[in-house]
Amino acid sequence: MTNTSESDDGPPRVPIVCRDCGTTSRIPLPAVADAIDRHNDQLHDGADVAEVDPDVADRIADLAAAELGLLEDE
């Protein structure tokens, strides 16, 4: 994965981790899927190893569920 630095300009950056490689990168949001696919294809024969940081992915899922009203008591 290409290691990118933080920037105040441009889209938000998402932390990507690969435990097999021991790497962490922050990728601009629009490029996340392509960066993960490229890393996994080039270094792991296409196996789903690199991923969005699980803690961040869980938080995003919680926020989306709340926004959609899926967490509200009926």
Side-chain angles (χ1 to χ4, degrees), residues 10-58:
R13 294 180 179 269
V14 178
I16 306 299
V17 296
C18 181
R19 289 184 177 88
D20 283 7
C21 293
T23 58
T24 301
S25 298
R26 295 182 73 82
I27 306 297
L29 183 59
V32 168
D34 289 339
I36 289 173
D37 288 344
R38 185 174 49 254
H39 176 89
N40 286 332
D41 286 345
Q42 292 176 351
L43 299 172
H44 304 294
D45 295 323
D48 292 332
V49 179
E51 62 185 353
V52 172
D53 182 310
D55 292 335
V56 173
D58 288 346

